[in-house]
Structures are given as structure tokens and as C-alpha cells.
Amino acid sequence: MHNSIMQNFEFIYFFMEENTDNSLVSPFDYKKEDLNKIEKILQRNLQQVIPLEKTPPNIITPWWGELKNLEFEKKINSKITSTLLGLELGNDFTPSHTHIISSLEELKRLKLPFSQRQFIKRSPFHSSGKGSSLLTENNVNDPIKEDVIITPLLNKKFEIGCCVNEQDHLSFHLAHYPHFTFMGGTVYRDDEELFRSLGLSFKDHFNAMEKIISFYRSLGYKGRLNIDSLYYEEEGKIKPYYLMEVNARRSMGLFLQTLKKLIPPHKKKGDLILTPLLLADDHLIKLSPDLPKQSKKTYFKTGN
């Protein structure tokens, strides 16, 4: 994981890992007062933090992803795999004008109608919105060095994340991705209330997720899944794009789900807020500790 990402988000380990027998091996020096604040939020003791330089590499275990069978994990996390499944399942799962290409020659043969709509070029393996770029007539001749997915730029209305655990229990959240970058999300105590608030069908979405889960289980994968879906407006109608991508690992969406327990009994929802600013608001819970060179602060706000 990139060092700047670790500085901003390594702390979520404390919220997501409840096994206190495990320890966090970290290159950062956490202040005792910051750890005490997190303990107060969670109302439990935190795991021990062990300095990276004092830890033999052979006893460190990856946590964000398993990294045991790299070829298999690469396949199930690839957007190529999810896009192929979406194309097979139909337009509700992947929008029309979606293509997988491996060369500039293939891209030229598509003769994309740039005068009618815009397109996005997506890398198979980047996350958090990284690896996506606008494809235009100005850069359409740029070299293509790997398989990429070409999709139309949609009039996005909502982005819904679905977290699936090892027992195939589903939980949902609303994700916020301005300019292709994850900047937080909203989680409801009751998942169906989330869909009602957006005027969407919980049943239809749930059924679509089960089809996707069934495919990944058929590949032999038994771990957690994170499925990203999009709702967009076209011709005056809200349409689903159920299978934007699948991640077979821990995720920021799973972090959002762990924050449900911070929603008071008299509140319906909570918002995760990522910002470069220090915010002063009595209704905000500051989640992130202060580390040097940190570019984002993380807050949780409950409402309604």
C-alpha cells in the first residue's frame, strides 16, 4: 500500500479488526492520546501497535487482502472479470457501449461516437477511483499498454456499495466518488431504508447481487466480496449499472459498515466524511489520529 494512503487510512484497522490477539505492525508513531480517543469511540481496548523496524518480516501477515494465491486473487479482483460477467448478464449489469480492448487498433475499430457521448477508460486493477480517465478525441491515440475497459460516461445519480461476508450476508451503503475519488459515504441502520430514501428497489438490487455472488462462488472463492453498483439517468429514467466492479478483499465500504454501531438508537444513518480540513462541529466524531504529512482527516456524523 502506498505510504500516503497508509498515513491517511491505516487507523481503520482498529475499527475493522476486533481480534485483540492480533497486533498492528506500523511504520508510524501513534500518540497515546489518539489511541485513547479511538478506544473511547469503540468502547473497547485496541490492539497493540508494534514498530515495523522491530518486527521480523516472516511474522507479518497481510491484512487488507490475503495475498496467498496471487494469480487467482488477480483474476477475481480484475475489472475484466466483472465486466465480462456484466456483459453476459445484460444491460442492467453493464451499460451498452461497454468494450474490453487490448490495443490502440481495437480502440480505433470501435469508432466511438464522441459527438454523441463521452467515454471513460478504466484500468483492470486500480481502486478508489484511481486508474479511470476521460477518453476524448484529444487522447484517443494515446498508447494502450494493457487490457482496458471502455464505458460511456454516465449521468451518475447514486453509487451503491454491497459488502458480502463469508456467510453471504449482504449489507449496503451509499458511496461518494466526486471526480472518481472516494470521499466518504452514507450508511443506514436499516439497509432497506437506504433504498427507500433514494426511491430505488431494494428487492431488485438484492436479487442482482445474488446473481453476481453466485458467479464468484462458482469460481471457488469463499471470502468477502465488495460489489460496486451505479444508478444513472438516461432519457428521463433512472437505470441500474449493477456490476461496475467487484473487490475480493477488505474495503472502505466494509469500514463504513463497521461504523453502523456508532449510530445512536434514535438516529437512522451516519455519514463518513473525508476532508483535508480540520472541522469543528459538535455533531462530528473525529475518527482519524493525527500523523505527520497526513492529507485527509476522517469524520463520522450521525443524522435523522
Side-chain angles (χ1 to χ4, degrees):
M1 185 180 288
H2 193 277
N3 199 54
S4 64
I5 297 176
M6 288 179 63
Q7 284 179 313
N8 287 317
F9 300 118
E10 185 187 66
F11 77 93
I12 69 176
Y13 173 87
F14 299 119
F15 289 82
M16 297 170 68
E17 179 59 62
E18 295 188 353
N19 186 349
T20 54
D21 291 334
N22 295 335
S23 300
L24 173 64
V25 177
S26 174
F28 307 120
D29 184 17
Y30 287 90
K31 299 176 184 176
K32 180 65 175 174
E33 55 265 34
D34 283 333
L35 298 179
N36 288 341
K37 288 177 184 177
I38 296 175
E39 286 187 333
K40 188 175 180 180
I41 292 170
L42 295 176
Q43 298 183 345
R44 62 171 171 82
N45 294 328
L46 295 187
Q47 295 84 353
Q48 183 181 2
V49 180
I50 302 175
L52 177 62
E53 66 272 14
K54 297 181 180 179
T55 309
N58 63 314
I59 69 167
I60 298 175
T61 303
W63 178 77
W64 192 248
E66 291 186 354
L67 303 181
K68 292 178 180 178
N69 184 339
L70 294 184
E71 281 304 310
F72 181 61
E73 291 183 46
K74 187 175 180 180
K75 176 181 179 179
I76 58 177
N77 281 286
S78 171
K79 295 178 182 64
I80 300 294
T81 302
S82 58
T83 301
L84 286 171
L85 175 61
L87 290 169
E88 179 182 327
L89 291 173
N91 284 349
D92 282 350
F93 289 82
T94 295
S96 57
H97 299 290
T98 295
H99 308 274
I100 299 171
I101 61 169
S102 57
S103 68
L104 185 57
E105 289 70 27
E106 287 182 66
L107 178 58
K108 289 179 178 178
R109 284 199 295 268
L110 293 178
K111 297 181 179 179
L112 297 174
F114 288 110
S115 61
Q116 300 173 24
R117 63 195 317 163
Q118 293 179 295
F119 292 86
I120 299 227
K121 182 169 65 174
R122 304 180 70 208
S123 165
F125 296 111
H126 287 79
S127 61
S128 299
K130 295 179 174 61
S132 296
S133 60
L134 194 62
L135 183 65
T136 69
E137 289 180 292
N138 294 329
N139 64 13
V140 72
N141 291 315
D142 288 354
I144 294 176
K145 300 178 181 179
E146 61 178 348
D147 289 349
V148 295
I149 300 107
I150 306 297
T151 62
L153 179 63
L154 303 170
N155 183 13
K156 180 175 72 172
K157 292 301 179 183
F158 315 111
E159 192 160 330
I160 304 288
C162 173
C163 296
V164 186
N165 69 9
E166 292 84 346
Q167 291 75 43
D168 286 350
H169 172 77
L170 281 63
S171 52
F172 299 89
H173 59 273
L174 179 67
H176 304 315
Y177 276 91
H179 311 297
F180 307 120
T181 302
F182 179 76
M183 291 302 293
T186 302
V187 63
Y188 277 72
R189 181 187 300 282
D190 177 0
D191 284 335
E192 293 190 44
E193 179 67 25
L194 165 62
F195 285 82
R196 284 194 295 271
S197 72
L198 301 174
L200 304 175
S201 169
F202 175 77
K203 182 180 179 181
D204 289 349
H205 197 102
F206 191 95
N207 290 341
M209 296 301 102
E210 288 196 316
K211 292 180 181 180
I212 298 167
I213 295 164
S214 176
F215 169 79
Y216 280 86
R217 296 305 185 219
S218 75
L219 297 178
Y221 179 71
K222 299 178 180 178
R224 59 176 57 86
L225 290 166
N226 302 275
I227 305 168
D228 290 344
S229 306
L230 187 76
Y231 285 86
Y232 62 99
E233 185 175 3
E234 188 175 73
E235 299 174 345
K237 296 180 179 180
I238 301 297
K239 299 182 179 181
Y241 174 3
Y242 288 129
L243 187 45
M244 192 162 59
E245 65 179 73
V246 174
N247 294 299
R249 52 169 171 74
R250 288 179 172 87
S251 66
M252 293 302 287
L254 183 59
F255 174 44
L256 254 174
Q257 294 300 325
T258 67
L259 299 178
K260 276 188 177 180
K261 57 180 171 279
L262 302 185
I263 303 174
H266 61 287
K267 300 286 188 179
K268 289 183 180 180
K269 66 175 184 175
D271 295 295
L272 178 66
I273 302 168
L274 309 183
T275 173
L277 305 173
L278 275 171
L279 302 178
D281 186 327
D282 292 339
H283 300 288
L284 288 173
I285 303 171
K286 186 171 180 290
L287 304 178
S288 54
D290 293 318
L291 292 173
K293 300 181 181 179
Q294 200 173 41
S295 62
K296 286 187 176 67
K297 309 295 180 183
T298 306
Y299 300 86
F300 189 66
K301 182 175 184 177
T302 58
N304 296 342

